[in-house]
Amino acid sequence: MREVQEPQYDAIVIGAGVAGIYQIYRLQELGMSATVLEAADGPGGTWYWNRYPGARFDSESYTYGYSFSKDLLDEWDWSEHFAGQPETLRYLNHVVDKFDLRKHMQFGCKVEGAEFDEDGCFWRVRLEDGREFTGRFLLTAIGMLSAATLPRIEGLDDFEGESWHTYYWPHEPVELAGKRVAVIGTGATGVQVISEIADKVGELTVFQRRPNWCAPLHNDRIDEESLADIKSSYDEIFEICRRNAGGFLHSPDPRKFQDVPREERLELWEKIYAARGFSVWMSNFIDTGINPEANAEYSAFIADKIRSRVNDSDTAELLIPKDHGFGTRRVPLETRYYEAYNRENVHLVDINETPIERITTRGLRTAERDYEFDLIIYATGFDAITGAFDRMNMTGSGGLALRDKWSESPDTLLGMQTSGFPNLLMLSGPQGGSVSTNYPRGIETAVDWISDLLVYMRDHGYRRVEANAEAESSWRQHVQEMYQFQLMSKVKSWFTGYNSNVDGHDVPRLMIYPGGAPRYRERLEEVAANDYEGFHLS
Ligand code: NA7
C-alpha cells in the first residue's frame, strides 16, 4: 500500500499584504503550523508595490487600520486623514514586527503553480525558482488589484526612455523635474499621479480613453486633539463601518431622491461635495445608485462642479463622463486634479478622437501626430480579482484548472471557496465581501470566518472542505440578483469584470458582492451556525 504523504504545514498563506498579515496572526494564535509565501522582499502587498507619486488611501486612515488589537490602535498615530503609501507601508511593517510575524513569512517566493493532491488531501505549491511547499490548506491572500495590466499597444518595448506601470514604480526616486511625461489611464491611480506630478514635471500629456467622475478627497493633517478623539472613538468608528454597506464611515441619507425638493437636494449635494472622502459617493440619497433619474441629476450637479474648476470649456467637457453616471464606476478621489488642466504645461489628449497607434522609440504616435517623451507612465489598471489567480496556474480535483473553470464566470460560494478546489480558501475571492468593501474591514471578516472554519474542522476531525456545486450556483444567482438592481451593472469597469487588455475580459462578469457588507456577514454567520451548510466537510 502506498504511504500517504503528510503535508509540511497545516496552512500555506500566499501573500503578505493586509490579508496575509492578519491571517498569519490568527493562524499562529490558533497554534497551527503555517507559512506565508510572498513574492516581494517585504510585507505590505498593495502598499509594498504601489509607490507611484501620489499613492494614498481613499479610505480614512483610521478606518483602514486593523481593529483586532486595542494596543495597536492606541499606539499607532496616523498623521493624515488619508495616509500616503509610505506611511501605510510603515504601519503594516509595524504590525508585522509588533506581533512577531516576520518569522512566519518567506519573501522572494513567487508562486508559479499550485495543485491539489487528491490522495494526500493537501496543496502542493511550486515557486518560480523550483522550490515546493505542501500545506493541508491553501489560503490565498493575493489581493484584488495585484495583477497589473499594460495596454495592448504595438511597440511597448521599443521606447528608449523610462517607462513604468504605476504598480511597479521603482523603489529609487524617479527624476521628474523638467521631464516630458506621458500618463496613459485616468482611473483612481492615474488621477492621483496626474494631480501629484503636474507641477513637478516639465510637460505632462495625459492620454484619456474614458474620463471618470472624480471628486475632492479633502485630505488634511490630523492634529493632536483630533488624534486623541479618533483614538477614543475607535469602537464607534468600527461600528459605523460595520453597519455600512461598503465598510466606510459614510452612511447614506435614508431619504429617497424624489421625496426631497430640489433645493434641499442641492443643499445635501453641496454638503457632501465639501465633505471628506467617499461622502460624495456614499452619503447621498439612498437610491442614487439604483434610480436613473436620481443618478442623472446628481451627475449633472457634479458635471457643473467640474466645469467650474476647469478654465477651458472644451477641456472641461472632455473631462466629464458621458457614458456612465456618477458612482457607477469606482470614484477617484483627488486633490486639485481638475485644476491641473489649467496649467500651461498640462495637455489632455482624447484617444477616442486620436487613437494611440503605437509606442515609438522616442515617445508615441497617435492618429494625429508623433509625441516625444522622457517618461511614460502606464496607469492602466489591473486584471482585477481573478487575474492574480490566473497567473498562479491553480489546479484542483481531477486536474481541473481554475482558469478554465472561471473562464466565463468566476463562481464561488461566498467568495470563500470554489467547487472542485478542496481546501482552497480565498480571502479576496470573486463574488465575496472583501473585494466589495473598504478592504481591511472585509478582510477581518474573511480571516475570522476562515479561521473559525479551520477550528471547527480541527475540533470535528475533518481535513477536507469543498463548496458544493449546488450551493455555489445558488450563491451565483443571489449575486446576480444583487447586481441587477444597481446602475453599475450596466457599465464597463472592473466591478463588472471588464479589462480591454486581457483576452476574454470583454464580456460582463459577476466579480464582486454588491449586496452590502451587513447582508454578506449575516449570510456568513448563518452558514457557520448551520455547520457550514453548502460546504462538504469530510
Ligand atoms: P483602473 O481604474 O482600471 O483604470 C485604468 C485606466 O487605464 C482607465 O482610465 C482605463 O481606461 C485606462 N486604460 C486601460 N487600458 C488602456 C489602453 N489600452 N489605452 C488607454 N487607456 C487604457 O485602474 P487604477 O489603477 O486606476 O485603479 C484601480 C483601483 O486601485 C481603483 O479602483 C482603486 O480601488 C485602487 P477605461 O476607463 O478602461 O476606458
Side-chain angles (χ1 to χ4, degrees):
M1 206 171 83
R2 194 160 81 86
E3 204 184 320
V4 175
Q5 197 190 331
E6 281 300 309
Q8 285 165 284
Y9 296 101
D10 293 330
I12 293 177
V13 179
I14 307 181
V18 169
I21 293 171
Y22 182 44
Q23 184 64 73
I24 193 67
Y25 169 84
R26 288 297 317 269
L27 290 170
Q28 55 89 35
E29 194 187 48
L30 297 173
M32 297 183 76
S33 69
T35 190
V36 179
L37 304 176
E38 166 58 60
D41 62 11
T46 283
W47 303 102
Y48 172 93
W49 293 106
N50 283 289
R51 293 163 190 253
Y52 62 83
R56 69 172 60 250
F57 288 152
D58 282 346
S59 313
E60 280 75 2
S61 310
Y62 29 91
T63 70
Y64 197 96
Y66 295 109
S67 72
F68 69 84
S69 157
K70 175 148 181 7
D71 213 26
L72 175 63
L73 290 167
D74 285 344
E75 76 190 8
W76 186 263
D77 296 345
W78 291 107
S79 73
E80 291 178 89
H81 287 278
F82 304 90
Q85 175 271 338
E87 183 170 347
T88 308
L89 186 57
R90 271 199 309 281
Y91 168 75
L92 293 172
N93 273 282
H94 171 77
V95 176
V96 167
D97 292 329
K98 177 179 173 67
F99 298 105
D100 201 13
L101 302 174
R102 216 172 279 267
K103 65 181 183 222
H104 303 294
M105 297 177 168
Q106 305 185 57
F107 300 107
C109 291
K110 191 163 171 44
V111 174
E112 182 197 72
E115 288 106 40
F116 183 66
D117 183 304
E118 197 73 58
D119 296 338
C121 187
F122 59 76
W123 279 87
R124 179 173 286 111
V125 176
R126 210 177 45 253
L127 303 187
E128 207 176 51
D129 62 15
R131 280 182 291 161
E132 274 194 6
F133 297 88
T134 54
R136 176 76 67 216
F137 298 96
L138 182 61
L139 276 57
T140 52
I142 53 184
M144 51 191 283
L145 298 160
S146 53
T149 48
L150 284 165
R152 298 200 272 200
I153 306 175
E154 207 185 320
L156 279 195
D157 294 333
D158 295 350
F159 183 56
E160 288 171 358
E162 202 175 353
S163 63
W164 298 105
H165 188 288
T166 44
Y167 186 71
Y168 291 112
W169 198 264
H171 291 208
E172 307 72 43
V174 173
E175 184 59 54
L176 297 171
K179 294 283 164 69
R180 298 163 302 173
V181 180
V183 174
I184 302 179
T186 50
T189 302
V191 165
Q192 286 188 334
V193 177
I194 293 161
S195 313
E196 180 70 22
I197 69 173
D199 63 354
K200 300 185 177 63
V201 300
E203 296 291 318
L204 174 61
T205 310
V206 176
F207 294 89
Q208 174 184 271
R209 186 163 68 185
R210 277 188 298 164
N212 283 296
W213 294 102
C214 313
L217 175 66
H218 297 299
N219 189 23
D220 214 340
R221 309 275 314 161
I222 301 177
D223 59 29
E224 242 172 72
E225 202 182 317
S226 312
L227 187 63
D229 275 355
I230 289 166
K231 286 193 183 181
S232 64
S233 5
Y234 268 126
D235 286 348
E236 203 184 324
I237 290 174
F238 290 126
E239 188 48 35
I240 297 173
C241 293
R242 258 181 77 75
R243 285 200 305 262
N244 181 257
F248 289 97
L249 267 185
H250 312 287
S251 309
D253 187 303
R255 295 171 298 173
K256 285 195 174 154
F257 163 84
Q258 300 96 310
D259 299 341
V260 180
R262 166 99 183 143
E263 214 161 280
E264 270 181 58
R265 288 176 196 159
L266 288 172
E267 229 170 80
L268 176 72
W269 292 343
E270 289 292 354
K271 189 173 114 196
I272 62 180
Y273 195 78
R276 274 202 190 98
F278 281 134
S279 266
V280 70
W281 191 4
M282 293 167 186
S283 305
N284 211 330
F285 299 113
I286 194 137
D287 55 345
T288 315
I290 52 177
N291 171 354
E293 194 195 333
N295 191 276
E297 204 172 307
Y298 187 54
S299 300
F301 168 83
I302 301 284
D304 281 343
K305 289 285 178 204
I306 298 172
R307 290 186 187 104
S308 73
R309 293 173 58 186
V310 180
N311 297 345
D312 177 67
S313 58
D314 291 344
T315 307
E317 289 314 309
L318 276 184
L319 289 166
I320 296 171
K322 305 289 189 311
D323 66 340
H324 67 281
F326 186 93
T328 59
R329 305 178 88 205
R330 168 38 155 111
V331 174
L333 294 181
E334 40 85 27
T335 304
R336 299 188 60 74
Y337 173 63
Y338 290 111
E339 288 73 12
Y341 294 95
N342 296 335
R343 299 179 57 86
E344 296 267 295
N345 68 329
V346 178
H347 320 282
L348 180 63
V349 177
D350 174 9
I351 62 170
N352 303 298
E353 253 326 280
T354 55
I356 299 175
E357 291 185 341
R358 60 168 300 131
I359 305 293
T360 61
T361 52
R362 310 184 69 161
L364 66 78
R365 179 173 307 147
T366 67
E368 187 191 40
R369 55 167 278 207
D370 276 313
Y371 291 83
E372 290 193 4
F373 296 114
D374 304 303
L375 171 63
I376 300 180
I377 301 175
Y378 296 105
T380 43
F382 300 89
D383 187 0
I385 306 174
T386 53
F389 287 95
D390 288 350
R391 290 183 189 186
M392 281 195 315
N393 302 305
M394 309 189 76
T395 313
S397 277
L400 175 65
L402 187 56
R403 191 188 290 111
D404 293 340
K405 177 180 171 183
W406 281 353
S407 65
E408 282 178 15
S409 182
D411 293 339
T412 68
L413 178 53
L414 299 158
M416 298 288 190
Q417 271 216 300
T418 187
S419 62
F421 293 78
N423 291 10
L424 170 65
L425 296 158
M426 303 179 289
L427 290 160
S428 48
Q431 305 174 357
S434 47
V435 296
S436 324
T437 45
N438 188 9
Y439 197 58
R441 304 281 62 80
I443 280 304
E444 283 188 341
T445 300
V447 167
D448 288 342
W449 192 86
I450 284 176
S451 304
D452 289 350
L453 167 66
L454 295 178
V455 170
Y456 180 92
M457 290 181 71
R458 183 167 70 185
D459 291 350
H460 290 77
Y462 293 130
R463 55 176 209 164
R464 190 182 198 275
V465 56
E466 184 182 353
N468 293 336
E470 308 77 59
E472 181 170 298
S473 127
S474 41
W475 181 250
R476 180 190 203 287
Q477 214 174 335
H478 171 64
V479 173
Q480 188 148 30
E481 278 162 22
M482 294 295 108
Y483 260 90
Q484 264 165 15
F485 290 110
Q486 319 270 349
L487 297 174
M488 69 88 178
S489 67
K490 315 277 183 312
V491 176
K492 287 185 183 178
S493 79
W494 64 262
F495 293 170
T496 46
Y498 283 89
N499 184 321
S500 68
N501 305 310
V502 182
D503 284 336
H505 291 1
D506 51 359
V507 288
R509 292 177 301 147
L510 305 172
M511 299 298 283
I512 61 171
Y513 178 70
R519 192 196 309 259
Y520 177 70
R521 247 187 349 262
E522 214 171 276
R523 189 68 201 131
L524 286 182
E525 281 160 16
E526 252 169 50
V527 166
N530 291 326
D531 295 313
Y532 297 93
E533 70 173 332
F535 293 87
H536 183 68
L537 297 157
S538 55

Tab-separated table of all heavy atoms in Angstrom, residues 233-269:
chain	number	residue	atom	x	y	z
A	233	SER	N	-12.569	57.101	20.001
A	233	SER	CA	-13.843	56.686	19.378
A	233	SER	C	-13.708	55.497	18.438
A	233	SER	O	-14.555	55.300	17.584
A	233	SER	CB	-14.500	57.843	18.617
A	233	SER	OG	-13.736	58.982	18.571
A	234	TYR	N	-12.633	54.730	18.583
A	234	TYR	CA	-12.470	53.604	17.660
A	234	TYR	C	-13.670	52.637	17.672
A	234	TYR	O	-14.076	52.144	16.622
A	234	TYR	CB	-11.170	52.845	17.934
A	234	TYR	CG	-10.014	53.352	17.098
A	234	TYR	CD1	-8.807	53.759	17.678
A	234	TYR	CD2	-10.118	53.435	15.709
A	234	TYR	CE1	-7.747	54.222	16.902
A	234	TYR	CE2	-9.065	53.902	14.925
A	234	TYR	CZ	-7.885	54.285	15.529
A	234	TYR	OH	-6.850	54.741	14.755
A	235	ASP	N	-14.240	52.396	18.870
A	235	ASP	CA	-15.376	51.454	18.911
A	235	ASP	C	-16.503	51.953	18.022
A	235	ASP	O	-17.099	51.204	17.253
A	235	ASP	CB	-15.901	51.311	20.351
A	235	ASP	CG	-14.951	50.478	21.200
A	235	ASP	OD1	-14.047	49.843	20.609
A	235	ASP	OD2	-15.110	50.481	22.432
A	236	GLU	N	-16.752	53.241	18.152
A	236	GLU	CA	-17.839	53.850	17.384
A	236	GLU	C	-17.508	53.853	15.880
A	236	GLU	O	-18.358	53.539	15.045
A	236	GLU	CB	-17.964	55.286	17.885
A	236	GLU	CG	-19.280	55.923	17.661
A	236	GLU	CD	-19.197	57.381	18.137
A	236	GLU	OE1	-18.512	57.663	19.145
A	236	GLU	OE2	-19.809	58.215	17.447
A	237	ILE	N	-16.263	54.195	15.571
A	237	ILE	CA	-15.830	54.236	14.167
A	237	ILE	C	-16.042	52.869	13.513
A	237	ILE	O	-16.644	52.753	12.443
A	237	ILE	CB	-14.335	54.662	14.070
A	237	ILE	CG1	-14.188	56.131	14.439
A	237	ILE	CG2	-13.763	54.382	12.677
A	237	ILE	CD1	-12.739	56.624	14.529
A	238	PHE	N	-15.579	51.827	14.185
A	238	PHE	CA	-15.702	50.494	13.578
A	238	PHE	C	-17.155	50.012	13.550
A	238	PHE	O	-17.540	49.250	12.670
A	238	PHE	CB	-14.787	49.483	14.283
A	238	PHE	CG	-13.317	49.745	14.012
A	238	PHE	CD1	-12.396	49.896	15.038
A	238	PHE	CD2	-12.859	49.858	12.707
A	238	PHE	CE1	-11.052	50.153	14.780
A	238	PHE	CE2	-11.515	50.116	12.428
A	238	PHE	CZ	-10.615	50.268	13.471
A	239	GLU	N	-17.941	50.485	14.496
A	239	GLU	CA	-19.359	50.109	14.490
A	239	GLU	C	-20.055	50.754	13.281
A	239	GLU	O	-20.853	50.106	12.601
A	239	GLU	CB	-20.008	50.547	15.826
A	239	GLU	CG	-21.426	50.063	16.028
A	239	GLU	CD	-21.648	48.575	15.735
A	239	GLU	OE1	-20.736	47.763	15.997
A	239	GLU	OE2	-22.733	48.242	15.200
A	240	ILE	N	-19.719	52.007	12.999
A	240	ILE	CA	-20.302	52.662	11.810
A	240	ILE	C	-19.885	51.894	10.551
A	240	ILE	O	-20.698	51.603	9.679
A	240	ILE	CB	-19.877	54.144	11.713
A	240	ILE	CG1	-20.413	54.919	12.919
A	240	ILE	CG2	-20.364	54.781	10.408
A	240	ILE	CD1	-19.924	56.356	13.017
A	241	CYS	N	-18.605	51.562	10.484
A	241	CYS	CA	-18.114	50.799	9.321
A	241	CYS	C	-18.832	49.458	9.200
A	241	CYS	O	-19.155	49.012	8.100
A	241	CYS	CB	-16.605	50.563	9.417
A	241	CYS	SG	-15.627	52.054	9.284
A	242	ARG	N	-19.082	48.820	10.322
A	242	ARG	CA	-19.753	47.505	10.303
A	242	ARG	C	-21.153	47.597	9.711
A	242	ARG	O	-21.599	46.719	8.996
A	242	ARG	CB	-19.896	46.994	11.750
A	242	ARG	CG	-18.913	45.957	12.178
A	242	ARG	CD	-19.215	45.538	13.619
A	242	ARG	NE	-20.369	44.638	13.687
A	242	ARG	CZ	-20.329	43.370	13.337
A	242	ARG	NH1	-19.211	42.829	12.904
A	242	ARG	NH2	-21.401	42.602	13.432
A	243	ARG	N	-21.819	48.690	10.043
A	243	ARG	CA	-23.213	48.830	9.586
A	243	ARG	C	-23.296	49.312	8.138
A	243	ARG	O	-24.323	49.224	7.495
A	243	ARG	CB	-23.956	49.815	10.504
A	243	ARG	CG	-24.306	49.228	11.864
A	243	ARG	CD	-25.418	50.026	12.502
A	243	ARG	NE	-25.069	51.445	12.593
A	243	ARG	CZ	-24.588	52.028	13.682
A	243	ARG	NH1	-24.430	51.332	14.763
A	243	ARG	NH2	-24.290	53.320	13.676
A	244	ASN	N	-22.189	49.859	7.633
A	244	ASN	CA	-22.195	50.481	6.315
A	244	ASN	C	-21.990	49.430	5.210
A	244	ASN	O	-21.171	48.518	5.359
A	244	ASN	CB	-21.061	51.524	6.286
A	244	ASN	CG	-20.993	52.237	4.976
A	244	ASN	OD1	-20.138	51.956	4.147
A	244	ASN	ND2	-21.912	53.150	4.768
A	245	ALA	N	-22.722	49.601	4.124
A	245	ALA	CA	-22.655	48.620	3.030
A	245	ALA	C	-21.232	48.436	2.515
A	245	ALA	O	-20.810	47.335	2.179
A	245	ALA	CB	-23.566	49.060	1.893
A	246	GLY	N	-20.472	49.529	2.469
A	246	GLY	CA	-19.134	49.445	1.908
A	246	GLY	C	-18.041	49.388	2.967
A	246	GLY	O	-16.856	49.432	2.635
A	247	GLY	N	-18.431	49.320	4.236
A	247	GLY	CA	-17.421	49.258	5.294
A	247	GLY	C	-16.733	50.595	5.524
A	247	GLY	O	-15.614	50.654	6.033
A	248	PHE	N	-17.407	51.673	5.148
A	248	PHE	CA	-16.824	53.010	5.306
A	248	PHE	C	-17.544	53.786	6.405
A	248	PHE	O	-18.558	53.348	6.933
A	248	PHE	CB	-16.937	53.785	3.987
A	248	PHE	CG	-16.018	53.267	2.921
A	248	PHE	CD1	-16.472	52.374	1.959
A	248	PHE	CD2	-14.687	53.651	2.892
A	248	PHE	CE1	-15.614	51.882	0.979
A	248	PHE	CE2	-13.831	53.165	1.922
A	248	PHE	CZ	-14.293	52.279	0.965
A	249	LEU	N	-17.010	54.976	6.670
A	249	LEU	CA	-17.584	55.849	7.693
A	249	LEU	C	-18.807	56.611	7.198
A	249	LEU	O	-19.438	57.306	7.969
A	249	LEU	CB	-16.543	56.910	8.086
A	249	LEU	CG	-15.625	56.645	9.252
A	249	LEU	CD1	-14.775	57.872	9.523
A	249	LEU	CD2	-16.424	56.292	10.509
A	250	HIS	N	-19.081	56.513	5.899
A	250	HIS	CA	-20.066	57.408	5.298
A	250	HIS	C	-21.399	56.708	5.062
A	250	HIS	O	-21.499	55.855	4.190
A	250	HIS	CB	-19.534	57.962	3.986
A	250	HIS	CG	-18.130	58.471	4.125
A	250	HIS	ND1	-17.848	59.645	4.792
A	250	HIS	CD2	-16.940	57.949	3.755
A	250	HIS	CE1	-16.532	59.824	4.793
A	250	HIS	NE2	-15.968	58.810	4.175
A	251	SER	N	-22.390	57.091	5.855
A	251	SER	CA	-23.696	56.443	5.734
A	251	SER	C	-24.575	57.195	4.756
A	251	SER	O	-24.493	58.423	4.660
A	251	SER	CB	-24.388	56.422	7.093
A	251	SER	OG	-23.494	55.886	8.036
A	252	PRO	N	-25.445	56.462	4.034
A	252	PRO	CA	-26.335	57.140	3.085
A	252	PRO	C	-27.390	57.969	3.789
A	252	PRO	O	-27.726	57.703	4.945
A	252	PRO	CB	-26.992	55.979	2.333
A	252	PRO	CG	-26.848	54.789	3.209
A	252	PRO	CD	-25.625	55.009	4.045
A	253	ASP	N	-27.899	58.962	3.086
A	253	ASP	CA	-29.069	59.686	3.565
A	253	ASP	C	-30.264	58.752	3.320
A	253	ASP	O	-30.460	58.292	2.194
A	253	ASP	CB	-29.224	60.983	2.754
A	253	ASP	CG	-30.325	61.864	3.311
A	253	ASP	OD1	-31.484	61.377	3.408
A	253	ASP	OD2	-30.057	63.022	3.638
A	254	PRO	N	-31.032	58.436	4.357
A	254	PRO	CA	-32.077	57.415	4.188
A	254	PRO	C	-33.217	57.841	3.270
A	254	PRO	O	-34.031	57.014	2.855
A	254	PRO	CB	-32.588	57.193	5.619
A	254	PRO	CG	-32.164	58.388	6.387
A	254	PRO	CD	-30.947	58.957	5.723
A	255	ARG	N	-33.263	59.139	2.931
A	255	ARG	CA	-34.382	59.602	2.089
A	255	ARG	C	-34.173	59.207	0.637
A	255	ARG	O	-33.051	59.071	0.171
A	255	ARG	CB	-34.509	61.125	2.178
A	255	ARG	CG	-34.894	61.614	3.561
A	255	ARG	CD	-34.804	63.102	3.648
A	255	ARG	NE	-33.437	63.601	3.435
A	255	ARG	CZ	-33.111	64.876	3.334
A	255	ARG	NH1	-34.053	65.797	3.383
A	255	ARG	NH2	-31.859	65.251	3.163
A	256	LYS	N	-35.325	59.063	-0.054
A	256	LYS	CA	-35.236	58.833	-1.496
A	256	LYS	C	-35.206	60.179	-2.197
A	256	LYS	O	-35.853	61.144	-1.759
A	256	LYS	CB	-36.441	58.027	-1.970
A	256	LYS	CG	-36.336	56.577	-1.589
A	256	LYS	CD	-37.333	55.770	-2.367
A	256	LYS	CE	-37.118	54.304	-2.093
A	256	LYS	NZ	-38.328	53.536	-2.274
A	257	PHE	N	-34.529	60.197	-3.307
A	257	PHE	CA	-34.330	61.391	-4.106
A	257	PHE	C	-35.652	62.124	-4.396
A	257	PHE	O	-35.780	63.326	-4.171
A	257	PHE	CB	-33.621	60.950	-5.390
A	257	PHE	CG	-33.644	61.896	-6.522
A	257	PHE	CD1	-32.715	62.924	-6.599
A	257	PHE	CD2	-34.592	61.751	-7.539
A	257	PHE	CE1	-32.721	63.790	-7.672
A	257	PHE	CE2	-34.597	62.612	-8.612
A	257	PHE	CZ	-33.672	63.635	-8.684
A	258	GLN	N	-36.701	61.362	-4.836
A	258	GLN	CA	-37.965	62.022	-5.232
A	258	GLN	C	-38.665	62.666	-4.051
A	258	GLN	O	-39.465	63.575	-4.225
A	258	GLN	CB	-38.998	61.029	-5.813
A	258	GLN	CG	-38.600	60.291	-7.021
A	258	GLN	CD	-38.048	58.934	-6.606
A	258	GLN	OE1	-37.187	58.860	-5.720
A	258	GLN	NE2	-38.503	57.865	-7.239
A	259	ASP	N	-38.368	62.187	-2.858
A	259	ASP	CA	-39.084	62.695	-1.684
A	259	ASP	C	-38.514	64.013	-1.177
A	259	ASP	O	-38.977	64.545	-0.168
A	259	ASP	CB	-39.026	61.662	-0.543
A	259	ASP	CG	-39.679	60.363	-0.958
A	259	ASP	OD1	-40.459	60.398	-1.933
A	259	ASP	OD2	-39.401	59.320	-0.331
A	260	VAL	N	-37.503	64.520	-1.871
A	260	VAL	CA	-36.824	65.716	-1.366
A	260	VAL	C	-36.893	66.816	-2.427
A	260	VAL	O	-36.568	66.572	-3.591
A	260	VAL	CB	-35.341	65.373	-1.055
A	260	VAL	CG1	-34.598	66.586	-0.538
A	260	VAL	CG2	-35.251	64.218	-0.070
A	261	PRO	N	-37.357	68.017	-2.046
A	261	PRO	CA	-37.429	69.098	-3.050
A	261	PRO	C	-36.039	69.489	-3.566
A	261	PRO	O	-35.042	69.316	-2.860
A	261	PRO	CB	-38.061	70.268	-2.289
A	261	PRO	CG	-38.123	69.872	-0.869
A	261	PRO	CD	-37.811	68.428	-0.736
A	262	ARG	N	-36.024	69.990	-4.761
A	262	ARG	CA	-34.774	70.318	-5.465
A	262	ARG	C	-33.812	71.139	-4.601
A	262	ARG	O	-32.622	70.884	-4.547
A	262	ARG	CB	-35.130	71.043	-6.769
A	262	ARG	CG	-33.985	71.729	-7.453
A	262	ARG	CD	-33.406	70.933	-8.593
A	262	ARG	NE	-32.249	71.641	-9.148
A	262	ARG	CZ	-31.163	71.076	-9.591
A	262	ARG	NH1	-31.028	69.778	-9.570
A	262	ARG	NH2	-30.169	71.780	-10.072
A	263	GLU	N	-34.343	72.129	-3.921
A	263	GLU	CA	-33.475	72.994	-3.125
A	263	GLU	C	-32.727	72.214	-2.030
A	263	GLU	O	-31.541	72.421	-1.813
A	263	GLU	CB	-34.327	74.081	-2.479
A	263	GLU	CG	-33.617	75.390	-2.340
A	263	GLU	CD	-34.633	76.486	-2.139
A	263	GLU	OE1	-35.223	76.931	-3.144
A	263	GLU	OE2	-34.831	76.839	-0.972
A	264	GLU	N	-33.470	71.318	-1.413
A	264	GLU	CA	-32.847	70.512	-0.338
A	264	GLU	C	-31.846	69.500	-0.890
A	264	GLU	O	-30.865	69.161	-0.250
A	264	GLU	CB	-33.917	69.757	0.444
A	264	GLU	CG	-34.450	70.543	1.615
A	264	GLU	CD	-35.491	69.745	2.366
A	264	GLU	OE1	-35.197	68.632	2.836
A	264	GLU	OE2	-36.635	70.245	2.447
A	265	ARG	N	-32.148	69.029	-2.112
A	265	ARG	CA	-31.197	68.106	-2.751
A	265	ARG	C	-29.861	68.819	-2.919
A	265	ARG	O	-28.812	68.290	-2.573
A	265	ARG	CB	-31.676	67.708	-4.149
A	265	ARG	CG	-32.844	66.796	-4.173
A	265	ARG	CD	-33.280	66.566	-5.614
A	265	ARG	NE	-34.607	65.992	-5.640
A	265	ARG	CZ	-35.422	66.025	-6.680
A	265	ARG	NH1	-35.060	66.618	-7.806
A	265	ARG	NH2	-36.609	65.478	-6.615
A	266	LEU	N	-29.965	70.035	-3.441
A	266	LEU	CA	-28.731	70.789	-3.691
A	266	LEU	C	-27.963	71.036	-2.398
A	266	LEU	O	-26.738	70.985	-2.366
A	266	LEU	CB	-29.053	72.114	-4.383
A	266	LEU	CG	-29.496	71.972	-5.841
A	266	LEU	CD1	-29.975	73.299	-6.405
A	266	LEU	CD2	-28.347	71.428	-6.706
A	267	GLU	N	-28.717	71.262	-1.352
A	267	GLU	CA	-28.079	71.500	-0.053
A	267	GLU	C	-27.252	70.278	0.367
A	267	GLU	O	-26.096	70.398	0.770
A	267	GLU	CB	-29.176	71.715	0.982
A	267	GLU	CG	-28.997	72.923	1.850
A	267	GLU	CD	-30.283	73.141	2.637
A	267	GLU	OE1	-30.469	72.448	3.648
A	267	GLU	OE2	-31.098	73.994	2.192
A	268	LEU	N	-27.884	69.099	0.240
A	268	LEU	CA	-27.157	67.873	0.610
A	268	LEU	C	-25.947	67.692	-0.301
A	268	LEU	O	-24.845	67.351	0.154
A	268	LEU	CB	-28.065	66.642	0.510
A	268	LEU	CG	-27.335	65.317	0.799
A	268	LEU	CD1	-27.005	65.178	2.289
A	268	LEU	CD2	-28.127	64.096	0.344
A	269	TRP	N	-26.140	67.919	-1.594
A	269	TRP	CA	-25.053	67.668	-2.538
A	269	TRP	C	-23.865	68.599	-2.300
A	269	TRP	O	-22.723	68.173	-2.381
A	269	TRP	CB	-25.571	67.788	-3.974
A	269	TRP	CG	-26.524	66.672	-4.323
A	269	TRP	CD1	-26.669	65.489	-3.643
A	269	TRP	CD2	-27.462	66.635	-5.400
A	269	TRP	NE1	-27.641	64.723	-4.243
A	269	TRP	CE2	-28.145	65.390	-5.326
A	269	TRP	CE3	-27.811	67.517	-6.424
A	269	TRP	CZ2	-29.134	65.014	-6.231
A	269	TRP	CZ3	-28.789	67.146	-7.337
A	269	TRP	CH2	-29.439	65.907	-7.231
